Amino acid sequence: MTENEAILLFKCLSDATRMQLIRALADGPKYVELLAEVLDRTPSTISFHLKKLEEAGLVSMHKEQYYAVATLNRPMLDQQLYQIVCPDGEKPDAQALREKQYREKVLQNLFEYGKLKTIPVQRKKRRIVLEEIARQFEPGKIYSEKEVNLIIAGFHDDFCTLRREMIAEGIMERSRGEYWKKE
């Protein structure tokens, strides 16, 4: 299902009369005149709403002699919401790819010869920088403040700010002068 088809479906479902029609058709096909009587609407109103449901793929219409008969498209209703919103597995992967490209661009712009040019003001970029620096720390290993400062100083002279930010962002933890990378 394309994005436009999904939008059409959700617009179609946002009408109370159409929802009543779907419920009325749940137990089997019905004539337009019978639906009009059951829902206390005119046949022309029912035909209008059935046309919208048909365009969205929720109902199919066929003729039986002089009467129009509506049948509910159960497979369409049986689809999970996730399948409608993300019909192919590519969309989440595309988002992950965009995030990866953004991360690489930020790192490329802010680092030169392995050194951080400047500490970014924007939180999202700063988080990327902090995560990159944190890769130098082994998970589970305890570091003294001096060891942490030496590692961070290899990236930027303002190691105190970067160390504090790593703690504030939850990338590293500290207790009694000991630091460790959060797993």
Side-chain angles (χ1 to χ4, degrees), residues 9 13 17 22 27 30-31 41 53 64 76 82-84 109 111 125 127 129-132 138 154 157 175-176 179:
L9 173 67
L13 290 173
T17 302
I22 290 170
D27 60 348
K30 292 188 178 47
Y31 297 103
R41 304 278 198 292
L53 288 168
E64 282 186 14
M76 175 69 112
Y82 182 79
Q83 292 171 325
I84 294 169
N109 290 337
F111 282 89
K125 291 179 181 179
R127 174 76 187 200
V129 165
L130 295 173
E131 288 172 349
E132 183 66 20
E138 295 176 35
D157 293 336
S175 180
R176 298 185 181 138
Y179 295 78

Side-chain angles (χ1 to χ4, degrees), residues 134-135 137-141 171-172 179-183:
R135 292 178 55 201
F137 296 93
E138 295 176 35
K141 182 178 176 183
I171 295 171
M172 293 191 74
Y179 295 78
W180 60 92
K181 182 179 178 181
K182 197 170 179 180
E183 295 182 35

Side-chain angles (χ1 to χ4, degrees), residues 5-18:
E5 290 170 335
I7 290 168
L8 180 65
L9 173 67
F10 290 124
K11 282 182 180 178
C12 188
L13 290 173
S14 69
D15 184 86
T17 302
R18 293 179 200 141

Side-chain angles (χ1 to χ4, degrees), residues 22-163:
I22 290 170
R23 279 190 227 107
L25 291 169
D27 60 348
K30 292 188 178 47
Y31 297 103
V32 171
E33 289 74 14
L34 177 61
L35 289 167
E37 187 179 313
V38 169
L39 298 179
D40 195 29
R41 304 278 198 292
T42 64
S44 61
T45 300
I46 296 299
S47 293
F48 170 80
H49 288 291
L50 285 172
K51 181 74 174 155
K52 295 290 183 184
L53 288 168
E54 188 178 29
E55 288 171 3
L58 289 167
V59 169
S60 63
M61 300 294 295
H62 68 277
K63 291 271 189 185
E64 282 186 14
Q65 294 178 345
Y66 302 108
Y67 300 102
V69 179
T71 306
L72 190 62
N73 182 355
R74 285 194 175 273
M76 175 69 112
L77 286 175
D78 290 340
Q79 286 189 64
Q80 291 183 357
L81 184 59
Y82 182 79
Q83 292 171 325
I84 294 169
V85 176
C86 296
D88 51 6
E90 295 176 25
K91 292 202 188 312
D93 292 340
Q95 178 65 23
L97 178 62
R98 280 193 299 276
E99 288 174 9
K100 182 182 178 192
Q101 290 171 338
Y102 176 77
R103 180 181 175 82
E104 289 171 358
K105 183 179 175 186
V106 167
L107 293 174
Q108 182 181 1
N109 290 337
L110 292 174
F111 282 89
E112 189 173 83
Y113 304 114
K115 297 281 273 180
L116 180 62
K117 295 181 203 175
T118 182
I119 300 172
V121 176
Q122 187 181 21
R123 184 169 187 243
K124 185 176 179 180
K125 291 179 181 179
R126 189 171 57 240
R127 174 76 187 200
I128 291 170
V129 165
L130 295 173
E131 288 172 349
E132 183 66 20
I133 294 171
R135 292 178 55 201
Q136 301 301 309
F137 296 93
E138 295 176 35
K141 182 178 176 183
I142 306 293
Y143 294 89
S144 68
E145 188 171 312
K146 184 177 181 180
E147 291 173 311
V148 171
N149 290 345
L150 285 171
I151 292 170
I152 296 173
F155 292 96
H156 195 272
D157 293 336
D158 192 357
F159 53 85
C160 293
T161 299
L162 291 170
R163 185 185 67 229

